């Protein structure tokens, strides 16, 4: 999966596959969906969004050292309330092991 933007809301940070221009074009709408990176512990069913990029990097480190990934990393559609978005940052990072 390719991460093209980071969205900071009033409560959390999200890594998304939409580029900055696409997000800004949707800011006139009250809500929009974006494909968002998440992670979770093997023992948990609750997805985490703000630490997903760091968890994906941790998995890569463990794989590089010959170990097994310790986080489940994937993506899902998240509904964003545009009034809660504070900042949007461009990013260009491929996340290994997460298929689109």
């Amino acid at each position: 999966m390719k991460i093209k933007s980071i969205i900071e809301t009033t409560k959390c940070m999200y890594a998304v596959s939409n580029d900055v221009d696409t997000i800004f074009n949707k800011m006139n709408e009250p809500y929009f969906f974006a494909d968002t990176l998440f992670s979770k512990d093997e023992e948990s069913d609750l997805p985490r969004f703000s630490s997903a990029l760091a968890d994906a990097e941790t998995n890569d480190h463990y794989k590089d050292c010959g170990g097994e990934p310790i986080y489940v990393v994937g993506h899902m559609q998240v509904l964003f309330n545009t009034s809660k978005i504070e900042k949007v940052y461009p990013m260009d990072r491929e996340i290994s092991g997460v298929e689109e």
Side-chain angles (χ1 to χ4, degrees), residues 16-30:
V16 299
S17 63
N18 300 56
D19 60 31
V20 172
D21 291 336
T22 302
I23 294 168
F24 284 135
N25 287 337
K26 294 181 179 188
M27 291 300 283
N28 293 330
E29 302 170 20

Side-chain angles (χ1 to χ4, degrees), residues 7-8 52 54-55 60-61 66 68 75 82 99:
I7 296 175
E8 277 189 37
D55 292 347
D60 287 343
H61 173 73
E68 292 293 319
H75 61 98
T82 54
E99 296 188 22

